Structure formats: structure tokens, C-alpha cells
């Protein structure tokens, strides 16, 4: 059967179970877009900027637990995907980005809208391809999806020259990919499993530290069982929020630079850390030599490069988090329950004392709204059920601290790269994946302006997202650093010249509300969440509020600045 | 940390862009490449890269793991952990004043090199051996005045087991 390259592309994308593509056309993709709209079972969401398409595909992937797909044109369309790819790469999100390219005969000639996007994105993708042989098109697409979602997931880019898309190609469905140079190892070493259980039995002050790998491998249930069985308190990285119920008594709160006092202190005093699906990012470890000075570390990760990279570990296990935890749990079940939790009451009492003396706190007075109060009320009103995306900065940290995530895949943030402008397109992607769920972007006044054009995408496609702006008229997180470490020299962080967000919402056909009075926060949230369609809620908050606790960059995580 | 020289033998898919992925990995992560040599093997779809690098023990672990993580890398062998034969080829052009010629030829003889080009003012010498031999040879001919050098990177293969 002969098909065009465009037909093969669409066929192969659909064969992967994909039903939604975020895209933006150009000269190099006209045939592909023309083919897509002929398929009722494949939805194309036309974004307003290619960066938005990639962030939306990223969030779609997380909310739907499948592989997100974006499609853009050559040249500027392709270069606009770089930030989104780098973010997905840092967060290990499975995603495939297709981009148009000039015809193969023109490649290398500095043709109009030609860029070497494979060269540009090599360091920010898991892998990438330039398809030069029409007969390899189908197999390459299949391989791209396979690589994106297997092992440690990540984004893959496929560059598609226009002549390949136009070619008439004899089509047969390719075999399942079998790459001799890529065989991720999912099964853990049995000997190490025994060692883990022995280490748990010997520990008196253990802590589970879970990360994004737990979410990706869908092992939050296993983490929770392990914690409960051995009465081990749990902390997570920013990417791990939701891996363990945020309302459970064993929950310590987030770890790291803006982690809770008790989470950071627990790591500082722990004698055993069970690290699952984490990479010990510097935002979590602080000063490496002072990180967990008394603890042995067990590290479970599918990616061998994550192990021994920043931190020495005593018990490394390369394997899928879920499979590995299942093995550990099976062996734990054979033990006497009390051997797994020796002296745990002493440890838990100590942690409780840290919690009592230094909880997360802020004071809501009657004159100005505190940003934390807005997030806390949002959590109460939505009963913790919303999917929360965030922008970057203080808004992101307050969302992480005050919205207590009980389930995985409900907190969608650009963790590793920290991309301002992520939250709105991400909310759109999450809403496309989960149309029945409430999706809220917790935003900053600076970040929301970075991809504000996507309001039109939300409105056009009836992807109703709710945007909560914590409007401090500052690039708040940078201002906070200036306040604490640069003598309050607020260079270039003042944002008091800003659009009227209510009118802006209206200009896009959405609804806008403004709230300046603490007494009206709850009412505004309820009204905004209940209003059909896309809504901006502009909360004018305390200008110089800071995120606490804070570990100064490079300091030990137990040396926290507290309010 | 203490650094030493490592020699890696890397089998990769013989495809465009693979070398760039490897070079990019090294530059992006601040690893250092001392020398590099690439050619196809008897299997035309596979190339062998021999790479020498100087670093500490923790860094070489990361380098090996990161190389392995590249989709187009088939195997990574650390020859430094094994017995291996190593060769590097160099052409060395040196000043050959009449009064120095005899000594040059004596050194060439001792090192079992060959004179491959003779001119009025210069001799060009071909030397093949491991990096130690090259260093020793160069230190001896340096006082006579080296005009220019062209050198390949090291190539190496593991010895048969037990040897
Ligand atoms: C694309 C991008 N540019 C710059 C930064 C650096 N940066 C980090 S947080 C921040 C301030 C964000 O301001 P706003 O969105 O108002 O959030 P706030 O911290 O005030 O809540 C900046 C500029 C970034 N993370 N991303
Ligand atoms: Mg702000």
C-alpha cells in the first residue's frame, strides 16, 4: 500500500494511542496539518506560540500518563520548541516533537527557514532524528515513541524534511523496535534487595525521600505501603509532590531550599535515607558535604548516571522504581513487623517536636492579602482535588508548600529548568488530557505574561482553565534574593507597570476578577472557580512577602532562614 | 582528587551525528578529551572510537555511564581495567643539521622508527607505539628542534584473556 509521508506520520502517531496534538503550522508542515484535520479521532489544538505547544504536550503527558505530542514548522517554529524540550528533558517527561524541515536537497544550503534543529536540540533531548530516507519514516516514528517512554523517559525530536512528507512510500507497519544499543534495565539486583531490608531493620531514624521518578514509574502506592509498613516518614523533592499523601501523619513536607523545617532537619539527623527516583539536585542537597551527614543512603533509580553523580550512596540499585519497591515489599512482608520499625516512636516524636516548634507559617492581617492564604484557601475550596500547574518563582513555592497534594500527577511544574511561562500552556495541556477535572494555574504576575497569548488557545478550544495570579508587582523570587543577599537593591525586578489582568482576560473572551481585600479571597475564589470558561483571578498581594524557610544557595539544608 | 589517564574503547552505530553526540557530551559536562580516533570496524554499520581522557575515578564512572546512556552507543569498554595493546602513529619533522644526522639516525634505530622523508634541512620520522614511547622519543629529539608534528590519537584493543 502506498501512502504519503504525511499519511504515514498520522497513522503512526495514532497507532501509539495518541489522540491530541498541540501544534502550529508553517510552510514545511502544510501537508501534515492537512492530513491531521481529516481524522476525527485526532484532535489538533492550535496554540498561539510553539513554546506553548511543547509545554502543553509536556503537561498532557503528565496528566494523562501517556506520551505528549507537538508539531511545529521548520526554522523559527523549531527553535521556539527549545525551552520546552529543555524543560521536559530536565523533568524526564515522555514527549515527541515533530518539526518540519526544508527538503533534503536544500539541507545545508542555508535555505529559507532552515536550521540544524537536530544539532541545536541534541543536548536537550533524550534522542533526536533527522529522517532522510522515506523508507525509514515509519520505523523512526515508532522508535521515537519507544525511546521517549521507556527507561528514564524524556523528549525526542523528529525532524521531517518536506520531500519526505510529500513522498509516496510503500507502507508496512514496522516491527516493535529492538535496538541493540538501547536496552533499559528494569529489574533490580536481588542481592541488593536483601541489603535494603537489612538496612531498614538496622535503622533507627530512617527517611524515605521520593522524587519525580516515583511519579513517572507510577509507584506512589508502593512508596506509601513501604512507609506505612515500617513507619518511615516521607519527604519528596518538588517533582515528587503527590508521591505520598500530603495529609498523612508520616508526611514531612517538601525537602530542600524551601523545604519544611522538619523535612530538612529529618534528613540532617537521619541514619538511613531511602531515595527513590531522585537525582539529588542542588536545590535539594544544599551544601553536599553537609547533606545527611549521619545517614547511609539507598538509591533506587532506572538511570545509572543518577547514581553516585552528586552524592555517595551505600546501596545503589539500578532498576524501575515500581519493580524494585515490589521486590522490597515482598521481602519486608516476610519479616516481623516490629523488626522493621525499631525505636520508631522516639524518631517520630522528635519529628513531631520539629513540626510543633517550626511549622510553615504566615500571618494574615486584615489589610493586605498574603499569597500563602490564597493558596491555602484554594486547597480548602477545591478539597485538594484540583490539578495544579504553576509558573516559576515564589508562586511555585507557595503552591508546593500550601496545596497539600494527596495523589500523583496533580502537581505539574517545570521543576528542573524552572521555566517562567510554563503554567498557562501546561494548564491547557492538562485540561485537554483530563476534561472533567478542575485545572488551576497558580501564577505570578511576571510569569503569566510570558505565555499569556495561550489564553486564546484556552478560550477557542473551550479548555477552561482557572488562573490564580499572586500579583505582587515584583519578579518576587528574584526580589527575595535581592532583599536577603543584595542589600535590598531591587534592580530590574519591579513590575508595577503591568496590564490590567481583568481587562486582558476580557480582551481574550475570558472572565477576569480582581481581589484586593483579604476578606474577599474566599468569595473571589469560589466565584472564579464556578464561572464557566477560562477565568483569571488577580489577587493583589503583599508586595514584599518572602518564601520561608529558605536555605541560602550553597548552605547546609539544616541552616535555614526562618520567619 | 587524584587523576589518571583512561583509555576507552567505544562501539557506536556508524551514523551521521554520533561523533557530535559524544563530543557534545564531553563539552557539555566539562569532561576532557585527550585524544580521539574513529573508524568503521569490519561490520560497516559499527564504528569504533578510541578515546583517551585524564580525570579522577568518580569522573570516569560518570563518563562511562553517560556514554552508555547515549542511544547510539553499543558498548563502552574501559581498557585501563584490562590488558591491552595501544598504538599511536606520529610523523615528526626535525631539523637535521649535518652534524646531528648521525645522532638522529641512532635514536631512530633505538626506537625502531623510520625516516620517511629526507631533505636538506629536515628529516621526517614515522613513529608508532604507545603514548609512553612517543613521549620518550619526543623528549630525545626535542633538543634538536622539532619543526612540526602530526599525530593520530591512540587506538587500542584488549588482549586475549589471560595474556
Ligand atoms: C524564562 C525565565 N526567565 C527568567 C527566570 C528567572 N526568574 C526566576 S523566578 C523569577 C520571578 C518570577 O516572577 P513572578 O512570575 O511574578 O513570580 P513571583 O516570584 O513574584 O511569585 C524570575 C525572573 C526564569 N526562571 N525563567
Ligand atoms: Mg510576582
Amino acid at each position: 500500500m502506498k501512502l504519503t509521508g504525511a499519511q504515514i506520520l498520522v497513522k503512526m502517531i495514532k497507532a501509539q494511542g495518541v489522540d491530541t496534538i498541540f501544534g502550529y503550522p508553517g510552510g514545511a508542515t502544510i501537508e501534515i496539518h492537512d492530513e491531521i484535520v481529516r481524522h476525527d479521532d485526532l484532535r489538533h489544538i492550535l496554540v498561539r506560540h510553539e513554546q506553548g505547544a511543547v509545554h502543553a504536550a509536556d503537561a498532557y503527558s503528565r496528566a494523562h500518563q501517556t506520551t505528549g505530542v507537538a508539531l511545529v514548522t521548520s526554522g523559527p517554529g523549531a527553535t521556539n520548541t527549545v525551552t520546552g524540550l529543555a524543560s521536559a528533558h530536565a523533568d524526564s517527561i515522555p514527549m515527541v516533537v515533530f518539526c518540519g524541515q526544508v527538503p533534503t536537497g536544500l539541507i545545508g544550503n542555508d535555505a529559507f527557514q532552515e536550521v540544524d534543529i537536530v544539532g541545536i536540540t541534541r543536548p536537550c533531548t533524550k534522542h533526536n532524528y533527522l529522517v532522510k530516507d522515506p523508507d525509514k519514516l515509519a520505523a523512526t516514528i515508532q522508535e521515537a515513541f519507544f525511546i521517549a517512554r521507556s527507561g528514564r523517559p524524556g523528549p525526542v525530536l523528529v525532524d521531517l524534511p518536506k520531500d519526505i512528507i510529500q513522498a509516496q512510500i510503500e507502507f508496512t507497519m514496522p516491527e516493535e523496535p529492538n535496538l541493540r544499543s538501547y536496552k533499559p534495565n528494569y529489574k533490580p539486583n536481588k542481592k541488593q534487595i536483601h541489603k535494603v531490608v537489612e538496612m531498614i531493620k538496622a535503622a533507627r531514624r530512617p527517611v524515605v525521600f521520593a522524587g519525580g521518578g516515583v511519579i513517572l514509574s507510577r509507584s506512589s502506592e508502593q512508596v506509601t505501603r513501604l512507609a506505612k509498613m515500617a513507619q518511615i516518614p516521607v519527604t519528596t523533592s518538588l517533582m515528587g509532590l503527590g508521591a505520598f499523601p500530603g495529609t498523612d501523619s508520616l508526611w514531612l513536607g517538601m525537602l530542600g531550599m524551601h523545604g519544611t523545617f522538619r523535612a530538612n532537619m529529618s534528613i540532617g539527623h537521619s541514619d538511613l535515607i531511602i531515595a527513590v527516583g531522585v537525582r539529588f539536585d542542588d536545590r535539594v542537597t544544599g551544601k553536599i558535604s553537609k547533606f545527611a551527614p549521619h545517614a547511609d543512603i539507598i538509591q533506587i533509580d532506572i538511570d545509572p548516571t543518577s547514581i553516585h553523580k552528586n552524592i555517595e550512596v551505600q546501596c545503589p540499585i539500578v532498576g524501575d522504581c515500581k519493580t524494585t519497591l515490589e521486590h522490597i515489599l515482598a521481602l519486608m512482608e516476610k519479616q516481623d513487623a516490629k523488626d522493621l520499625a525499631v525505636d520508631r516512636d522516639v524518631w517520630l516524636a522528635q519529628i513531631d517536636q520539629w513540626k510543633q516548634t517550626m511549622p510553615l507559617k504566615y500571618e494574615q492581617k486584615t489589610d493586605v492579602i498574603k499569597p500563602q492564604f490564597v493558596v491555602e484557601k484554594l486547597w480548602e475550596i477545591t478539597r485538594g482535588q484540583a490539578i495544579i500547574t504553576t509558573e516559576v518563582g515564589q508562586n511555585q513555592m507557595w503552591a508546593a508548600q500550601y496545596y497539600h497534594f494527596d495523589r500523583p500527577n496533580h502537581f505539574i511544574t517545570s521543576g528542573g529548568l524552572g521555566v517562567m511561562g510554563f503554567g498557562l500552556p501546561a494548564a491547557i495541556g492538562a485540561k485537554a488530557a483530563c476534561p472533567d477535572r478542575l485545572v488551576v494555574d497558580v501564577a505570578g504576575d511576571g510569569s503569566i505574561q510570558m505565555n499569556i497569548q495561550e489564553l486564546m488557545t484556552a478560550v477557542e478550544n473551550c479548555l477552561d482553565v482557572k488562573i490564580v495570579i499572586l500579583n505582587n508587582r515584583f519578579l518576587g523570587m528574584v526580589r527575595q534574593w535581592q532583599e536577603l543577599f543584595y542589600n535590598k537593591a531591587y534592580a530590574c525586578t519591579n513590575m508595577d507597570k503591568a496590564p490590567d489582568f481583568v481587562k486582558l482576560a476580557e480582551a481574550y473572551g475570558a472572565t477576569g476578577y480582581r481581589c484586593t481585600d483579604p476578606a474577599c479571597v474566599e468569595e473571589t475564589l469560589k466565584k472564579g472557580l464556578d464561572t464557566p470558561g477560562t477565568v483569571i483571578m488577580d489577587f493583589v498581594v503583599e508586595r514584599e512577602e518572602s518564601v520561608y524557610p529558605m536555605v541560602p544557595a550553597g548552605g547546609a539544608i539544616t541552616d535555614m532562614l526562618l520567619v | 582528587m587524584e587523576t589518571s589517564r583512561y583509555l576507552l574503547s567505544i562501539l557506536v552505530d556508524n551514523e551521521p551525528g554520533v561523533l557530535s553526540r559524544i563530543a557534545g557530551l564531553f563539552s557539555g559536562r566539562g569532561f576532557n578529551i585527550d585524544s580521539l580516533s574513529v573508524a568503521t570496524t569490519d561490520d560497516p554499520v559499527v564504528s569504533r572510537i578510541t578515546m583517551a581522557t585524564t580525570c579522577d575515578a568518580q569522573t570516569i564512572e560518570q563518563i562511562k555511564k553517560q556514554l552508555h546512556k547515549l542511544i547510539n552507543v553499543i558498548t563502552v569498554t574501559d581498557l585501563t581495567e584490562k590488558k591491552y595493546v595501544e598504538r599511536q602513529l606520529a610523523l615528526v619533522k626535525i631539523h637535521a643539521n649535518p652534524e646531528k644526522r648521525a645522532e638522529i639516525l641512532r635514536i631512530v634505530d633505538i626506537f625502531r622508527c623510520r625516516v620517511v622523508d629526507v631533505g636538506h634541512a629536515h628529516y621526517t620520522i614515522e613513529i608508532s607505539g604507545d603514548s609512553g614511547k612517543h613521549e620518550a622519543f619526543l623528549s630525545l629529539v626535542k633538543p634538536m628542534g622539532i619543526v612540526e608534528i602530526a599525530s593520530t590519537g591512540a587506538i587500542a584493543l584488549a588482549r586475549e584473556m589471560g595474556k
Side-chain angles (χ1 to χ4, degrees), chain A residues 394-395 444-447 470-477 495:
Chain A
Q394 295 180 317
N395 58 84
D445 50 304
S447 303
L470 305 177
N471 189 347
N472 50 16
R473 282 90 77 221
F474 266 121
L475 297 174
M477 187 56 94
M495 279 255 145

Side-chain angles (χ1 to χ4, degrees), chain A residues 118 122 125-129 132 147 152 179-182 303-312, chain B residues 12-13 15-18 20-21 24 29 43 45-46 58 62 65-74:
Chain A
V118 167
R122 215 167 263 146
T125 51
K126 182 172 174 185
H127 196 55
N128 59 17
Y129 298 89
K132 279 187 171 161
I147 287 175
R152 177 178 177 174
L179 305 171
R180 70 169 153 181
S181 56
Y182 175 72
D303 179 2
T305 66
S306 291
I307 294 174
H308 288 311
K309 184 169 63 182
N310 303 330
I311 291 265
E312 269 303 300
Chain B
V12 300
D13 293 328
E15 269 178 26
V18 174
S20 156
R21 287 182 204 281
R29 293 188 181 267
D43 181 348
V45 301
V46 177
Q58 194 193 343
Q62 262 303 308
K65 289 195 236 175
Q66 292 285 358
L67 281 170
H68 208 89
K69 189 168 159 180
L70 293 176
I71 307 291
N72 296 121
V73 169
I74 304 165

